[in-house]
Amino acid sequence: MAADGGSSSPGLPCVFSPKSRQYLALCAQDGRLRIWNTDSRTLHQEYVPSAHLSATCTCIAWGPCRTVKEGPQRKKRKSEAGQPEEKADLLAMGTAAGTVLIYSTQKGALHCTLDGGHSSGVNGVQWHPHAALLYSGSDDTHIVEWDLQTGKTRCKWKADRAAVSSLCVSPDGKLLLSAGQTIKMWDLDTKEVYRRFTGHSTAVTTLCFATTRPPDGNGLYFLSGAAHDRLLSVWQVRDDGKDKNSVVSFTLTDEPQHVDLIASNSKEEAVRLAVVCKDGQLHLFEHFLNGPCKKPLTPSCTVQMSSTQDSPVPVPLLAAALRADSGTLQLAYGNHLQPVMERVEINTAERHICLTRDVKTSLSLSMDTAVSKVKTPIINSKSKVLVPGLPGHQAPVRGGSDGAEKRKKGADTKEMSIEERLGEIDLSTASGVKGAAGTPSLQTDNFAVLLVQGLESNDANILNKVFQTRKDMVIKKTVARLPLPAVLPLLEQITKRLQGHPFTAVLMVRWLKAVLMQHTSYLSSLPDLMTQLGVLYHMIESRVKMFHKLTKLHGKLYLLISQVAASNSSKTVTDVDHTAQLVYEEESSDEGEASGDEALPGDDDSDEEMMEEKEEEEEEEDDDPDSKTEPKTNGEDDMEQEHESEEE
């Protein structure tokens, strides 16, 4: 049986020492490394790195147990018989600044610092089981092989297009697993890819070999876990290369936070697995790895912790370690600043076990002063305290008198309620500080905070304020910043409002679209999603069935409305004004024709005769005034004259 030292996802690393499980290494929110003794349940050592605030610890890995020979201890053991005992000594810590710190628990001091290999934060460190080598993966997409004897880089190569989120070395020290966008298996002799696997949709946080068999013979298995994924996948390394997909899946209640296993040496030996999830529950599995398994495997036993108070409160489990005897577990629970360690016997025949413990809410650190070597910085009045994880952010240290005055001053003033704050904050106005996409980042932060508060308190006023926004980018960023526990309550509120007024339903569809785009992977991992969102599912299904009929009705109404509009427009056309703008009148059409016919070349005699006749007529009119009253006779005479001229 080969026991693994365990692995934990990035965030707050927490790992038991290998073999004896005597020590628990833990990095809390303050950036300090604390090593607890599981036997005496006391703080064994505490180490404060020089850059523990700006370059916090991101991952921890215990080195192989070794024999430590020191002068004083060797003199004490001269009279004792037997070989010196191997103990866990070295501890590797990856930091957000790209350096790797090697801490010695026997010396109680920093052993060495490995820097210059990475340009970004370190996500995973792994020891070689036999040689004095260390491997580290970083956000700069590279893997570095360190030589611990010289403290320098031995080899460095690009592992993936994305950040390397996790590493694991095989028990024989010949293969290395790395996780980026995909999971790759490297040959450490040639530094070339031996196998490729599909991986997960999110960042892989856990990689661990499940068997100690060689890769030939289809007997090598390893498991992987990812962020926001409620499944642990098991992969098989096959000779034919058809091993891109997982063969076995273990079902969890939340994403894995800490994984410990006892590997299998043969097909007849089962793999024992202990997984601590983010929700604080412990799941135990036992399975014989022999080919693929279609259905996801449920845990053989689930362990929870609760307090023994008047109103029981769940106590989160931080880490769990399997021991050689099958029924014994080493547990760590409580908070990261002062965890409680306990060795318990679990009856795996029961499917669900709830352990009740009296956990103190107040912190009282107890230290073994005889063996403790605590390194604490010297703080004077001129020192400034930095907030962990934010380089350059300063918070001035205040004395006790200032704090007392502040408390007295704050006691007189009444704290504003959330409703009063909402009245002062105008969510519709754009803030001066804008994000990269042009939307107000401050407004998005307010929306996300208010939405979480409204969902927790079920306050309709807060939810109405948030849901009234129409900006798609603000909705998208607000949903993206929501914590995962708030996704299901948000969907329930959206479902409730979709059943109301159609105007509200139009706004809620935008929120539903953003939730499905941002959190589909989380929702698909929920085992009872259909029961929790059954109302939303049936409502969408019923409305989709009516959509075809509604589109037909819409088309018919559109034709009718367009025809009515066309007929109304034809009736409203105004009549055309037929009055002429300009009129040209001729004297007489007959005279024009006659003159046109008579005006020929060579007709000078006729023209002269016509002129003489006109002159005579004018003279007669002047002499006889009664001639004016006889227009008809004159006209007849003119017509006769014209006929005569035509005959001529």
Side-chain angles (χ1 to χ4, degrees):
M1 304 285 282
D4 187 79
S7 61
S8 61
S9 59
L12 294 176
C14 179
V15 183
F16 282 100
S17 61
K19 290 187 178 181
S20 64
R21 316 293 192 186
Q22 184 181 2
Y23 300 114
L24 173 67
L26 192 146
C27 264
Q29 297 90 337
D30 55 359
R32 302 185 180 191
L33 171 67
R34 293 182 175 89
I35 299 175
W36 298 82
N37 191 326
T38 58
D39 295 332
S40 60
R41 303 181 185 181
T42 55
L43 181 61
H44 179 60
Q45 290 181 9
E46 182 179 2
Y47 173 70
V48 183
S50 58
H52 69 288
L53 298 175
S54 60
T56 55
C57 177
T58 56
C59 51
I60 293 178
W62 283 94
C65 295
R66 63 171 188 166
T67 304
V68 181
K69 297 181 179 180
E70 292 187 1
Q73 292 186 0
R74 189 174 181 183
K75 290 180 180 179
K76 292 180 181 179
R77 294 180 180 178
K78 277 186 178 180
S79 58
E80 297 178 0
Q83 297 180 354
E85 183 183 0
E86 291 185 350
K87 292 185 178 181
D89 178 25
L90 298 181
L91 188 68
M93 296 183 295
T95 65
T99 59
V100 180
L101 307 178
I102 307 298
Y103 179 79
S104 174
T105 58
Q106 299 297 328
K107 298 178 183 177
L110 190 66
H111 181 70
C112 64
T113 302
L114 308 177
D115 54 359
H118 294 292
S119 59
S120 188
V122 178
N123 295 325
V125 288
Q126 279 290 317
W127 293 79
H128 194 281
H130 308 301
L133 299 176
L134 182 73
Y135 299 91
S136 60
S138 171
D139 287 335
D140 60 5
T141 71
H142 285 80
I143 297 176
V144 176
E145 184 181 54
W146 302 91
D147 189 348
L148 296 179
Q149 294 180 353
T150 61
K152 296 181 180 179
T153 302
R154 184 176 178 181
C155 184
K156 180 179 179 180
W157 69 95
K158 186 177 179 62
D160 207 301
R161 295 180 180 178
V164 180
S165 56
S166 185
L167 293 174
C168 185
V169 183
S170 63
D172 57 0
K174 296 180 179 180
L175 299 173
L176 174 69
L177 285 171
S178 70
Q181 289 183 343
T182 58
I183 299 176
K184 296 179 181 179
M185 182 176 285
W186 302 85
D187 188 347
L188 290 179
D189 294 333
T190 60
K191 305 299 187 296
E192 294 181 355
V193 178
Y194 181 72
R195 286 284 191 277
R196 294 177 187 268
F197 303 90
T198 306
H200 299 259
S201 59
T202 54
V204 177
T205 57
T206 302
L207 281 175
C208 191
F209 279 93
T211 58
T212 58
R213 311 168 211 169
D216 52 347
N218 300 336
L220 185 61
Y221 294 83
F222 70 91
L223 59 88
S224 63
H228 314 307
D229 195 348
R230 298 189 177 191
L231 290 176
L232 272 181
S233 301
V234 180
W235 313 79
Q236 183 182 15
V237 183
R238 298 175 58 89
D239 294 336
D240 54 7
K242 298 179 181 179
D243 47 12
K244 293 185 178 181
N245 298 323
S246 61
V247 293
V248 182
S249 296
F250 296 109
T251 306
L252 307 174
T253 55
D254 207 337
E255 64 176 275
Q257 194 79 14
H258 182 276
V259 177
D260 185 74
L261 63 84
I262 296 180
S264 169
N265 296 322
S266 63
K267 294 182 180 180
E268 292 77 17
E269 191 175 354
V271 175
R272 293 173 53 204
L273 185 66
V275 184
V276 176
C277 297
K278 193 174 181 180
D279 58 0
Q281 298 188 45
L282 169 64
H283 301 287
L284 301 177
F285 299 89
E286 190 169 352
H287 181 67
F288 291 91
L289 295 174
N290 190 12
C293 183
K294 294 182 180 180
K295 294 184 179 180
L297 301 177
T298 57
S300 59
C301 182
T302 300
V303 181
Q304 286 181 301
M305 303 284 294
S306 66
S307 60
T308 58
Q309 299 175 355
D310 297 335
S311 57
V313 178
V315 178
L317 284 161
L318 305 178
L322 296 167
R323 303 187 70 88
D325 44 346
S326 59
T328 307
L329 286 174
Q330 184 72 50
L331 301 179
Y333 54 90
N335 55 70
H336 286 80
L337 294 176
Q338 188 182 9
V340 180
M341 289 144 293
E342 183 181 354
R343 188 176 302 173
V344 297
E345 291 185 2
I346 300 296
N347 183 13
T348 55
E350 298 182 14
R351 298 283 295 178
H352 191 88
I353 299 175
C354 184
L355 304 176
T356 56
R357 297 290 185 272
D358 186 11
V359 181
K360 296 180 180 179
T361 56
S362 60
L363 295 179
S364 57
L365 295 179
S366 60
M367 294 184 58
D368 191 357
T369 56
V371 295
S372 175
K373 298 180 180 179
V374 180
K375 308 293 182 181
T376 56
I378 301 174
I379 300 177
N380 51 27
S381 59
K382 297 181 180 180
S383 301
K384 293 182 179 179
V385 180
L386 302 181
V387 176
L390 297 176
H393 187 79
Q394 297 181 353
V397 180
R398 300 181 179 273
S401 60
D402 295 340
E405 292 177 1
K406 188 175 182 180
R407 286 193 297 271
K408 290 179 181 178
K409 184 178 180 181
D412 299 335
T413 60
K414 185 179 179 182
E415 186 178 358
M416 296 177 62
S417 63
I418 297 178
E419 186 176 358
E420 294 174 351
R421 295 177 188 175
L422 281 174
E424 294 185 359
I425 299 176
D426 187 7
L427 297 178
S428 60
T429 58
S431 174
V433 182
K434 291 190 176 182
T439 58
S441 60
L442 183 60
Q443 185 181 3
T444 307
D445 292 336
N446 292 337
F447 267 86
V449 174
L450 290 174
L451 183 57
V452 173
Q453 291 178 353
L455 292 174
E456 290 179 353
S457 60
N458 200 14
D459 193 334
N461 293 329
I462 299 178
L463 294 175
N464 291 335
K465 281 278 188 180
V466 177
F467 286 146
Q468 283 174 1
T469 181
R470 295 175 177 270
K471 297 181 181 179
D472 293 334
M473 189 58 65
V474 175
I475 295 174
K476 182 179 178 182
K477 290 192 173 184
T478 303
V479 173
R481 297 187 182 188
L482 279 182
L484 289 180
V487 174
L488 277 179
L490 176 60
L491 278 178
E492 292 175 358
Q493 287 291 335
I494 292 175
T495 304
K496 189 184 300 182
R497 292 166 185 265
L498 278 173
Q499 299 173 359
H501 196 275
F503 178 75
T504 309
V506 172
L507 297 178
M508 290 299 101
V509 167
R510 298 185 179 183
W511 287 90
L512 180 61
K513 179 183 176 182
V515 172
L516 294 179
M517 290 178 62
Q518 296 290 335
H519 301 287
T520 303
S521 59
Y522 167 70
L523 293 174
S524 60
S525 64
L526 296 175
D528 52 348
L529 181 65
M530 290 298 294
T531 57
Q532 293 181 357
L533 302 181
V535 178
L536 177 63
Y537 179 77
H538 292 299
M539 183 178 59
I540 293 176
E541 198 173 80
S542 61
R543 294 195 178 186
V544 169
K545 287 182 180 178
M546 295 294 296
F547 180 72
H548 185 63
K549 298 179 181 179
L550 289 175
T551 50
K552 284 185 177 181
L553 179 62
H554 178 267
K556 293 178 181 179
L557 291 176
Y558 179 76
L559 288 175
L560 290 174
I561 292 173
S562 59
Q563 290 177 2
V564 171
S567 62
N568 291 336
S569 61
S570 62
K571 291 180 181 179
T572 56
V573 176
T574 58
D575 296 333
V576 181
D577 189 5
H578 296 285
T579 58
Q581 300 293 330
L582 178 64
V583 179
Y584 176 74
E585 296 181 356
E586 295 182 354
E587 293 181 357
S588 175
S589 60
D590 296 336
E591 290 179 0
E593 292 176 359
S595 62
D597 295 334
E598 295 171 357
L600 296 174
D603 293 344
D604 296 337
D605 297 336
S606 61
D607 294 338
E608 291 177 357
E609 291 177 358
M610 290 291 294
M611 294 295 292
E612 291 176 357
E613 291 177 357
K614 288 180 179 180
E615 290 177 357
E616 290 177 359
E617 291 176 357
E618 291 176 356
E619 291 176 356
E620 291 177 357
E621 289 176 356
D622 294 338
D623 296 338
D624 190 5
D626 299 332
S627 62
K628 294 181 181 180
T629 62
E630 300 177 355
K632 295 182 180 180
T633 57
N634 292 337
E636 293 175 355
D637 295 337
D638 294 339
M639 292 295 291
E640 292 176 357
Q641 292 176 4
E642 288 175 3
H643 290 301
E644 290 177 359
S645 62
E646 288 177 359
E647 292 175 357
E648 291 176 358

